[in-house]
Amino acid sequence: MQKNTFIFIALFASILLGSCTETQKQETESNREIWTKEQANAWYEDQEWLVGPNFTPSNAINQLEMWQEETYDSVTIDRELGWAADLGMNTVRVYLHDALYEQDSLGFLHRIDHFLGLADKHNIKTLLVIFDSCWDPFFELGKQREPTPFTHNSGWVQSPGQLALKDSTQYPRLERYVKGVIKRFANDQRVLGWDIWNEPDNMTGPSYEKVETPDKVALVLPLLRKSFAWARSVNPSQPITSGVWSGDWSSEEKMKPIERLQVEESDIITFHNYDGPEDFEERIQWLQRYEKPIICTEYMARPNGSTFATFLPIAKKYNVGMINWGFVDGKTQTKFPWDSWTKTYTDEPPVWFHDILRGDGSPYDPAETEVIKSLTGAK
């Protein structure tokens, strides 16, 4: 009897182990691969020339204020997306935050769905950003602070933030966030794609350098790799990417390890550039070696020579999608330059750094909006 019991237990354990192994195998096999250049280019052929802003409504200081239930303002969002459509824009890039999913996953997903509906009403697709290494490393949910007067992006917060980066026991909740959001919209045609991590190795410069952790890049690198894998595990139909933003990308040898990871793991190539038009064009040429679609997901800093008039014609020549920083002047105060963290401003800068429209929807520079309309075909 004991012998038969032992045989039964051993047989049951073998079947159970085999079942688990088969399940793991199926899960692994279901994870989609990084797109080939043929797949990526086939996807891009179905898109219009992509033009639009990084979008935060004018009455939100950061991602948290944009998305939390108490401050999610569909009326303002709808109005300002309509202004984007009037300029011929068909794309917006929008930041999410892991804490919002942890706070209220169902409500957060519902609000994302609602936002996508508003954007789609204006024939605008949305590129959703999962994580971000820029600005304040520490955040708090709830009511957000008021803007520091005359200061660029004085309330923007990082995701997942320094505390989570230093605590690998938080990886499971970050995994739930990445998979939960992307799986919910994995086949949603209103979603243009998934930007896994904005400027992952950005050390925040003079804004928060006194509190930034010096080993930030070493902490981000393994989590970035995992985040790409988590995203692919739910098999999204849209492309996954993370944009390179600084340094020399002219060859693989000159790129930093984190930049090589960003490019190698991306279905399409994305990048940022706030320098002059010659530098912008050179960087496009560098990235063409990957033979995949290219989208510039941040540009436009007028005093630097990065303008719509200089950049958009180059982008159209190379069929590069263009998403500028800033749209309607508001609580992010990005009409002020980056140096407003170290230089005192007491009034509107002589030349706006970012942003296109004033709070009432009128253009900062009417000639500039005419250029945009002309190139997008809205004029």
Side-chain angles (χ1 to χ4, degrees):
M1 180 67 177
Q2 289 179 338
K3 181 178 179 181
N4 290 340
T5 301
F6 176 78
I7 293 172
F8 174 78
I9 292 172
L11 180 61
F12 178 77
S14 175
I15 293 170
L16 182 63
L17 179 62
S19 175
C20 291
T21 302
E22 183 62 28
T23 300
Q24 291 173 347
K25 181 179 178 183
Q26 289 174 356
E27 287 178 351
T28 301
E29 289 176 349
S30 69
N31 296 353
R32 75 162 174 82
E33 299 296 322
I34 301 166
W35 281 359
T36 64
K37 60 185 180 183
E38 289 79 14
Q39 289 173 301
N41 288 312
W43 169 83
Y44 201 51
E45 286 175 4
D46 289 336
Q47 312 303 319
E48 301 177 85
W49 182 42
L50 300 171
V51 179
N54 281 268
F55 182 84
T56 305
S58 59
N59 59 351
I61 196 172
N62 58 24
Q63 319 94 302
L64 301 180
E65 193 162 43
M66 174 178 177
W67 288 111
Q68 287 183 119
E69 182 179 9
E70 296 78 11
T71 47
Y72 177 73
D73 185 348
S74 60
V75 174
T76 298
I77 290 170
D78 187 27
R79 179 175 64 247
E80 295 181 358
L81 288 173
W83 291 342
D86 291 342
L87 295 176
M89 293 178 164
N90 55 18
T91 309
V92 288
R93 181 172 179 249
V94 177
Y95 286 73
L96 308 177
H97 200 287
D98 61 282
L100 295 163
Y101 188 82
E102 184 179 22
Q103 176 193 49
D104 175 18
S105 59
L106 292 178
F108 184 36
L109 293 174
H110 173 74
R111 288 186 289 278
I112 294 173
D113 182 68
H114 186 266
F115 177 92
L116 293 174
L118 293 176
D120 185 60
K121 183 179 77 170
H122 297 290
N123 297 312
I124 290 173
K125 289 190 175 183
T126 304
L127 177 64
L128 291 166
V129 184
I130 299 294
F131 293 123
D132 181 15
S133 283
C134 293
W135 306 104
D136 194 341
F138 305 100
F139 62 84
E140 292 185 13
L141 291 165
K143 183 175 173 57
Q144 299 301 294
R145 61 180 180 261
E146 291 301 310
T148 303
F150 313 113
T151 304
H152 179 110
N153 245 346
S154 63
W156 199 263
V157 292
Q158 295 185 31
S159 170
Q162 188 177 126
L163 297 180
L165 286 179
K166 289 183 172 182
D167 182 7
S168 61
T169 66
Q170 295 200 38
Y171 280 15
R173 76 162 183 87
L174 298 176
E175 180 180 3
R176 289 193 297 272
Y177 159 61
V178 174
K179 289 182 176 180
V181 172
I182 297 180
K183 184 177 181 180
R184 170 65 178 79
F185 301 102
N187 294 298
D188 196 320
Q189 295 185 354
R190 301 171 300 178
V191 174
L192 180 72
W194 303 98
D195 193 335
I196 295 300
W197 205 308
N198 178 66
E199 299 189 357
D201 54 337
N202 193 320
M203 293 297 292
T204 71
S207 58
Y208 293 96
E209 62 187 357
K210 292 181 180 179
V211 296
E212 191 64 272
T213 181
D215 58 345
K216 181 177 180 178
V217 176
L219 295 172
V220 166
L221 193 59
L223 187 54
L224 174 62
R225 188 183 300 277
K226 287 179 180 293
S227 298
F228 270 111
W230 295 335
R232 284 198 302 272
S233 74
V234 294
N235 196 26
S237 61
Q238 312 95 341
I240 301 166
T241 189
S242 175
V244 290
W245 67 283
S246 69
D248 187 340
W249 320 320
S250 59
S251 67
E252 302 297 308
E253 295 73 26
K254 293 181 179 179
M255 295 172 72
K256 298 188 289 287
I258 198 166
E259 293 167 345
R260 289 198 295 272
L261 174 66
Q262 286 175 274
V263 170
E264 290 165 2
E265 294 282 334
S266 290
D267 296 320
I268 60 173
I269 305 301
T270 54
F271 76 106
H272 299 172
N273 186 262
Y274 288 105
D275 297 311
E278 295 81 9
D279 186 77
F280 174 66
E281 184 166 18
E282 181 179 54
R283 289 177 181 272
I284 292 173
Q285 293 168 346
W286 288 349
L287 296 173
Q288 283 184 313
R289 70 176 178 271
Y290 298 106
E291 300 181 61
K292 284 187 170 184
I294 300 173
I295 302 175
C296 178
T297 51
E298 285 189 29
Y299 77 101
M300 215 288 285
R302 294 179 185 89
N304 294 358
S306 175
T307 67
F308 295 105
T310 58
F311 273 39
L312 286 180
I314 296 171
K316 200 162 192 178
K317 170 185 172 183
Y318 290 96
N319 193 25
V320 170
M322 296 296 286
I323 306 178
N324 67 280
W325 191 271
F327 187 47
V328 180
D329 176 35
K331 292 176 77 171
T332 62
Q333 299 181 157
T334 55
K335 67 182 178 186
F336 292 95
W338 297 317
D339 70 6
S340 58
W341 284 88
T342 56
K343 179 180 176 181
T344 300
Y345 288 79
T346 58
D347 202 353
E348 182 175 295
V351 177
W352 278 19
F353 201 70
H354 301 313
D355 298 333
I356 303 171
L357 305 177
R358 300 185 183 276
D360 62 0
S362 62
Y364 159 68
D365 180 355
E368 181 181 75
T369 52
E370 288 304 305
V371 167
I372 297 170
K373 289 180 181 179
S374 175
L375 290 167
T376 60
K379 186 174 180 179

